[in-house]
Amino acid sequence: MSNIGWHSHDVDREQRSALLNQTSRILWFTGLSGSGKSTLAGALEHKLHQNGKLTYLLDGDNIRHGLCHDLGFSETDRNENIRRITEVSKLMLDAGLIVLAAFVSPSRLQRQRVREQFPQAEFIEVHVSTPLEICEQRDPKGLYQKARAGEIKQFTGIDAPYEAPLNAELTIDTSSDPLDVQVNTLVEYLESLG
Ligand SMILES: Nc1ncnc2c1ncn2[C@@H]1O[C@H](COP(=O)(O)OS(=O)(=O)O)[C@@H](OP(=O)(O)O)[C@H]1O
Ligand SMILES: Nc1ncnc2c1ncn2[C@@H]1O[C@H](COP(=O)(O)OP(=O)(O)O)[C@@H](O)[C@H]1O
């Protein structure tokens, strides 16, 4: 590592953000499988796009088809998954984008390591706090049923832990309000940051 330097370039993040007329930030959606992370993040992205903002949505399922196709759900693999996404998110923030990351990311320590990579006002943790009972009722992919039957091991909330955030910037239970109300809460929070 000591033989690898760092190149500073003429165009920087501030210039890219100014070109886009937006402040780049990362919203990190964490919650159980089926809690509504992807739906909420996707609906927020749609609204921000309508408002002329340039965003990018990183979704656990999708990323695991490509960048993280080699990773499973052991603690080590989940940590590596989140480490890779953190590095990708840093690049996207530097590109001036508003990044939406939707990952179970069950470990408090894991998420703290992510938070520490960004200036305080630029990292927004959104705890999608939908209760396990609701997530299991929804079970859109039948994964809870398989986990209960022992066909899937290390399934978050069943035989792998989920550590709820202690100080997320926002907490949203997607079974409590209509989706548009939840999206407006997120938009208003972003607007309050300037
Ligand atoms: N064992 C196990 N535990 C949890 N989730 C599992 C597992 N196996 C597959 N899936 C599906 O993978 C999605 C979670 O991937 P993530 O990358 O978000 O997980 S993590 O952040 O690395 O914990 C998650 O997608 P979402 O339902 O969209 O959250 C699951 O559908
Ligand atoms: N705000 C919501 N209100 C009602 N159902 C929702 C809401 N958000 C998500 N769902 C439903 O819950 C299921 C899981 O949503 P999804 O976004 O895939 O969750 P996750 O990405 O956390 O696994 C889907 O069937 C989806 O239609």
Side-chain angles (χ1 to χ4, degrees):
M1 187 67 83
S2 62
N3 296 325
I4 300 172
W6 179 271
H7 286 289
S8 295
H9 296 294
D10 292 345
V11 179
D12 63 13
R13 174 180 171 183
E14 283 66 31
Q15 290 165 296
R16 286 187 281 267
S17 294
L19 195 65
L20 294 170
N21 188 31
Q22 63 185 36
T23 304
S24 53
R25 300 188 196 283
I26 174 170
L27 292 97
W28 190 276
F29 295 79
T30 174
L32 295 170
S33 175
S35 56
K37 300 183 297 296
S38 302
T39 302
L40 187 55
L44 174 62
E45 179 172 53
H46 182 77
K47 184 72 173 178
L48 291 174
H49 185 76
Q50 283 181 321
N51 294 348
K53 302 303 179 188
L54 190 58
T55 62
Y56 199 80
L57 171 52
L58 298 165
D59 183 294
D61 270 326
N62 297 355
I63 291 295
R64 285 173 172 274
H65 285 284
L67 177 64
C68 296
H69 75 89
D70 57 323
L71 300 177
F73 291 89
S74 67
E75 185 178 356
T76 302
D77 277 7
R78 292 181 197 246
N79 287 340
E80 174 61 8
N81 182 39
I82 299 308
R83 186 195 68 79
R84 293 182 194 178
I85 292 309
T86 302
E87 291 303 325
V88 168
S89 299
K90 284 161 71 175
L91 293 174
M92 289 187 168
L93 247 74
D94 192 51
L97 301 182
I98 297 170
V99 179
L100 312 175
F103 292 81
V104 171
S105 50
S107 155
R108 213 168 274 147
L109 176 61
Q110 192 182 68
R111 298 191 302 263
Q112 181 56 34
R113 287 194 189 123
V114 180
R115 180 183 286 272
E116 290 167 356
Q117 296 294 312
F118 301 96
Q120 187 177 356
E122 295 176 5
F123 180 84
I124 300 157
E125 186 175 29
V126 182
H127 179 202
V128 185
S129 59
T130 314
L132 174 61
E133 299 70 39
I134 302 289
C135 298
E136 197 160 359
Q137 279 170 18
R138 290 172 171 173
D139 201 13
K141 305 169 205 167
L143 297 179
Y144 280 99
Q145 186 176 0
K146 288 181 178 177
R148 288 290 187 197
E151 295 168 26
I152 299 178
K153 300 299 183 193
Q154 300 173 312
F155 194 79
T156 307
I158 304 299
D159 60 341
Y162 179 80
E163 297 172 336
L166 299 176
N167 55 2
E169 279 71 18
L170 291 161
T171 299
I172 295 178
D173 172 351
T174 61
S175 64
S176 62
D177 290 305
L179 182 59
D180 59 337
V181 170
Q182 296 163 6
V183 170
N184 286 338
T185 299
L186 291 165
V187 170
E188 286 168 7
Y189 182 83
L190 284 173
E191 288 173 350
S192 74
L193 297 176

